[in-house]
Amino acid sequence: KVCDMSLSDDEETPNKQSKYLKLISQDGFEFIIEKECGCASGFISRLIHSETKWEETKGPITTLHLKNIKGDILEIIVKYFYFKNKYDKSEDDAPDFGAMHVPPNKVVQLL
């Protein structure tokens, strides 16, 4: 149930805050993604960059339990984070994310 987005061995060093974060869905699916991409979410960005040390950010890897989001929806959200990160840095016009990555039966759940 783990989706590892290129976690390297050197990221497991104790007492070093990882450049990755772990998102855990309601149904137990885990996605390890780059913090830079996760910051597409204002909530995640504020949590990571806050001067307050939240419980979620105290370990070697920031871990967020997203109890209201199912794994199939979280997978689409993670894809969007990477999509947004790629096209925010690009001069090219972004293609339609929804048409490429969102099945019609999932649209309402993503709202």
Side-chain angles (χ1 to χ4, degrees), residues 4 6-7 10 13 15 23 25-26 29 39 46 50 54 56 58-59 63-64 78 81 83 90-91 99-100 103-104:
D4 183 351
S6 71
L7 184 65
D10 65 338
T13 307
N15 301 323
L23 305 176
S25 70
Q26 169 188 75
F29 287 91
C39 285
R46 286 188 300 275
S50 172
W54 300 99
E56 293 84 355
K58 287 185 179 175
T63 301
L64 300 173
V78 166
F81 290 167
F83 174 88
S90 174
E91 297 293 322
M100 292 171 40

CSV table of all heavy atoms in Angstrom, one decimal, residues 4 6-7 10 13 15 23 25-26 29 39 46 50 54 56 58-59 63-64 78 81 83 90-91 99-100 103-104:
chain,number,residue,atom,x,y,z
A,4,ASP,N,6.0,5.0,-3.2
A,4,ASP,CA,7.2,5.7,-2.9
A,4,ASP,C,7.6,6.5,-4.2
A,4,ASP,O,8.0,5.9,-5.2
A,4,ASP,CB,8.3,4.6,-2.6
A,4,ASP,CG,9.6,5.2,-2.2
A,4,ASP,OD1,9.8,6.5,-2.4
A,4,ASP,OD2,10.5,4.5,-1.7
A,6,SER,N,10.4,8.0,-5.2
A,6,SER,CA,11.9,8.1,-5.3
A,6,SER,C,12.5,8.5,-3.9
A,6,SER,O,13.4,9.4,-3.9
A,6,SER,CB,12.3,9.1,-6.4
A,6,SER,OG,12.0,10.4,-6.0
A,7,LEU,N,12.2,7.8,-2.9
A,7,LEU,CA,12.8,8.1,-1.6
A,7,LEU,C,14.2,7.4,-1.6
A,7,LEU,O,14.3,6.2,-1.9
A,7,LEU,CB,11.9,7.4,-0.5
A,7,LEU,CG,12.4,7.7,1.0
A,7,LEU,CD1,12.4,9.1,1.3
A,7,LEU,CD2,11.6,6.9,1.9
A,10,ASP,N,19.6,7.9,1.8
A,10,ASP,CA,20.2,9.0,2.7
A,10,ASP,C,19.1,9.8,3.3
A,10,ASP,O,19.4,10.6,4.2
A,10,ASP,CB,21.1,9.8,1.9
A,10,ASP,CG,20.5,10.6,0.8
A,10,ASP,OD1,19.4,10.3,0.3
A,10,ASP,OD2,21.1,11.7,0.4
A,13,THR,N,18.2,9.2,7.5
A,13,THR,CA,19.2,9.6,8.5
A,13,THR,C,18.4,10.2,9.7
A,13,THR,O,17.6,11.1,9.5
A,13,THR,CB,20.2,10.7,8.0
A,13,THR,OG1,20.7,10.2,6.8
A,13,THR,CG2,21.2,11.0,9.0
A,15,ASN,N,17.4,12.5,12.9
A,15,ASN,CA,17.6,13.9,13.3
A,15,ASN,C,17.8,14.8,12.1
A,15,ASN,O,18.2,15.9,12.3
A,15,ASN,CB,18.8,14.0,14.3
A,15,ASN,CG,18.7,13.2,15.5
A,15,ASN,OD1,17.5,13.1,16.0
A,15,ASN,ND2,19.7,12.7,16.0
A,23,LEU,N,1.9,11.0,3.2
A,23,LEU,CA,0.5,11.3,3.3
A,23,LEU,C,-0.2,9.9,3.5
A,23,LEU,O,0.1,9.0,2.7
A,23,LEU,CB,0.0,12.0,2.1
A,23,LEU,CG,0.7,13.3,1.7
A,23,LEU,CD1,0.1,13.8,0.4
A,23,LEU,CD2,0.5,14.3,2.8
A,25,SER,N,-3.8,7.9,3.7
A,25,SER,CA,-5.2,8.0,3.5
A,25,SER,C,-6.0,7.3,4.5
A,25,SER,O,-5.5,6.6,5.3
A,25,SER,CB,-5.6,7.4,2.1
A,25,SER,OG,-5.4,6.0,2.1
A,26,GLN,N,-7.3,7.6,4.5
A,26,GLN,CA,-8.3,7.0,5.4
A,26,GLN,C,-8.2,5.5,5.4
A,26,GLN,O,-8.3,4.8,6.4
A,26,GLN,CB,-9.7,7.5,4.9
A,26,GLN,CG,-10.9,6.8,5.5
A,26,GLN,CD,-12.1,7.2,4.8
A,26,GLN,OE1,-12.4,6.8,3.7
A,26,GLN,NE2,-12.9,8.1,5.4
A,29,PHE,N,-3.5,3.8,2.6
A,29,PHE,CA,-2.6,3.9,1.6
A,29,PHE,C,-1.6,5.1,1.9
A,29,PHE,O,-2.0,6.1,2.4
A,29,PHE,CB,-3.2,4.2,0.2
A,29,PHE,CG,-3.9,3.0,-0.3
A,29,PHE,CD1,-5.3,2.8,-0.1
A,29,PHE,CD2,-3.2,2.1,-1.1
A,29,PHE,CE1,-5.9,1.7,-0.6
A,29,PHE,CE2,-3.9,1.0,-1.7
A,29,PHE,CZ,-5.2,0.8,-1.4
A,39,CYS,N,3.7,21.2,-1.1
A,39,CYS,CA,3.4,22.6,-0.8
A,39,CYS,C,2.5,23.2,-1.8
A,39,CYS,O,2.1,24.4,-1.6
A,39,CYS,CB,4.7,23.4,-0.6
A,39,CYS,SG,5.5,23.0,0.9
A,46,ARG,N,1.7,25.6,5.0
A,46,ARG,CA,1.7,26.3,6.3
A,46,ARG,C,2.2,25.4,7.4
A,46,ARG,O,3.0,25.8,8.3
A,46,ARG,CB,0.3,26.8,6.6
A,46,ARG,CG,0.0,28.0,5.8
A,46,ARG,CD,-1.4,28.7,6.2
A,46,ARG,NE,-2.5,27.7,6.1
A,46,ARG,CZ,-3.2,27.5,5.0
A,46,ARG,NH1,-2.9,28.1,3.9
A,46,ARG,NH2,-4.2,26.7,5.0
A,50,SER,N,5.7,26.4,9.3
A,50,SER,CA,5.3,27.1,10.5
A,50,SER,C,6.5,27.1,11.5
A,50,SER,O,7.2,26.2,11.6
A,50,SER,CB,4.1,26.3,11.1
A,50,SER,OG,3.8,26.8,12.4
A,54,TRP,N,4.7,21.2,15.0
A,54,TRP,CA,3.5,20.4,15.1
A,54,TRP,C,4.0,18.9,15.3
A,54,TRP,O,5.0,18.5,14.8
A,54,TRP,CB,2.6,20.5,13.9
A,54,TRP,CG,2.2,21.9,13.7
A,54,TRP,CD1,2.7,22.8,12.8
A,54,TRP,CD2,1.1,22.5,14.3
A,54,TRP,NE1,2.0,24.0,12.9
A,54,TRP,CE2,1.0,23.8,13.9
A,54,TRP,CE3,0.1,22.1,15.3
A,54,TRP,CZ2,0.0,24.7,14.3
A,54,TRP,CZ3,-0.8,23.0,15.7
A,54,TRP,CH2,-0.9,24.3,15.2
A,56,GLU,N,3.1,16.4,13.7
A,56,GLU,CA,3.2,15.8,12.4
A,56,GLU,C,4.6,16.1,11.8
A,56,GLU,O,5.1,15.3,10.9
A,56,GLU,CB,2.2,16.3,11.4
A,56,GLU,CG,0.8,15.9,11.7
A,56,GLU,CD,0.1,16.8,12.7
A,56,GLU,OE1,0.7,17.7,13.3
A,56,GLU,OE2,-1.1,16.5,13.0
A,58,LYS,N,7.5,16.5,13.7
A,58,LYS,CA,8.6,16.2,14.7
A,58,LYS,C,9.6,15.1,14.3
A,58,LYS,O,10.7,15.1,14.7
A,58,LYS,CB,8.0,16.0,16.0
A,58,LYS,CG,7.5,17.3,16.7
A,58,LYS,CD,7.0,17.0,18.1
A,58,LYS,CE,6.6,18.3,18.7
A,58,LYS,NZ,6.0,18.1,20.0
A,59,GLY,N,9.1,14.1,13.5
A,59,GLY,CA,10.0,13.0,13.2
A,59,GLY,C,10.9,13.3,12.0
A,59,GLY,O,10.9,14.4,11.5
A,63,THR,N,4.6,13.5,8.6
A,63,THR,CA,3.6,12.5,8.3
A,63,THR,C,2.2,13.0,8.6
A,63,THR,O,2.0,13.5,9.7
A,63,THR,CB,3.8,11.2,9.2
A,63,THR,OG1,5.1,10.7,8.9
A,63,THR,CG2,2.8,10.1,8.9
A,64,LEU,N,1.4,13.0,7.6
A,64,LEU,CA,0.0,13.5,7.7
A,64,LEU,C,-1.0,12.4,7.5
A,64,LEU,O,-1.0,11.7,6.5
A,64,LEU,CB,-0.3,14.6,6.7
A,64,LEU,CG,0.7,15.8,6.8
A,64,LEU,CD1,0.4,16.8,5.7
A,64,LEU,CD2,0.5,16.5,8.1
A,78,VAL,N,-2.2,13.7,-5.2
A,78,VAL,CA,-0.7,13.6,-5.3
A,78,VAL,C,-0.3,13.9,-6.8
A,78,VAL,O,0.7,14.6,-7.0
A,78,VAL,CB,-0.2,12.3,-4.8
A,78,VAL,CG1,1.3,12.0,-5.2
A,78,VAL,CG2,-0.3,12.2,-3.3
A,81,PHE,N,-0.4,17.6,-7.3
A,81,PHE,CA,0.7,18.3,-6.7
A,81,PHE,C,1.9,18.3,-7.7
A,81,PHE,O,2.6,19.3,-7.8
A,81,PHE,CB,1.1,17.6,-5.4
A,81,PHE,CG,0.2,17.8,-4.2
A,81,PHE,CD1,0.3,17.0,-3.1
A,81,PHE,CD2,-0.9,18.7,-4.3
A,81,PHE,CE1,-0.5,17.2,-2.0
A,81,PHE,CE2,-1.7,18.9,-3.2
A,81,PHE,CZ,-1.6,18.1,-2.1
A,83,PHE,N,1.9,17.7,-10.9
A,83,PHE,CA,1.5,18.4,-12.1
A,83,PHE,C,1.7,19.9,-11.9
A,83,PHE,O,2.3,20.6,-12.7
A,83,PHE,CB,0.0,18.1,-12.5
A,83,PHE,CG,-0.6,18.8,-13.6
A,83,PHE,CD1,-0.5,18.4,-14.9
A,83,PHE,CD2,-1.3,20.0,-13.3
A,83,PHE,CE1,-1.0,19.1,-15.9
A,83,PHE,CE2,-1.9,20.7,-14.4
A,83,PHE,CZ,-1.8,20.3,-15.7
A,90,SER,N,7.1,26.2,-15.6
A,90,SER,CA,7.3,26.1,-17.0
A,90,SER,C,6.7,27.3,-17.7
A,90,SER,O,5.7,27.9,-17.3
A,90,SER,CB,6.5,24.8,-17.5
A,90,SER,OG,6.5,24.7,-18.9
A,91,GLU,N,7.3,27.6,-18.8
A,91,GLU,CA,6.8,28.7,-19.7
A,91,GLU,C,5.6,28.1,-20.6
A,91,GLU,O,4.8,28.9,-21.1
A,91,GLU,CB,7.9,29.2,-20.6
A,91,GLU,CG,9.0,29.8,-19.9
A,91,GLU,CD,8.7,31.1,-19.2
A,91,GLU,OE1,7.9,31.9,-19.8
A,91,GLU,OE2,9.2,31.3,-18.1
A,99,ALA,N,-8.9,16.4,-17.5
A,99,ALA,CA,-9.2,15.5,-18.7
A,99,ALA,C,-8.2,14.4,-18.7
A,99,ALA,O,-8.5,13.3,-19.1
A,99,ALA,CB,-9.1,16.3,-20.0
A,100,MET,N,-6.9,14.6,-18.2
A,100,MET,CA,-5.9,13.6,-18.3
A,100,MET,C,-5.9,12.7,-17.1
A,100,MET,O,-5.5,11.5,-17.2
A,100,MET,CB,-4.5,14.3,-18.3
A,100,MET,CG,-4.2,15.1,-19.5
A,100,MET,SD,-2.7,16.1,-19.4
A,100,MET,CE,-1.6,15.1,-18.5
A,103,PRO,N,-10.9,10.6,-13.5
A,103,PRO,CA,-12.0,9.8,-14.1
A,103,PRO,C,-13.4,10.5,-13.7
A,103,PRO,O,-13.5,11.1,-12.6
A,103,PRO,CB,-12.0,8.4,-13.3
A,103,PRO,CG,-10.6,8.4,-12.7
A,103,PRO,CD,-10.2,9.8,-12.5
A,104,PRO,N,-14.3,10.5,-14.7
A,104,PRO,CA,-15.6,11.2,-14.4
A,104,PRO,C,-16.3,10.8,-13.1
A,104,PRO,O,-16.9,11.6,-12.5
A,104,PRO,CB,-16.4,10.8,-15.7
A,104,PRO,CG,-15.4,10.5,-16.7
A,104,PRO,CD,-14.2,9.9,-16.0
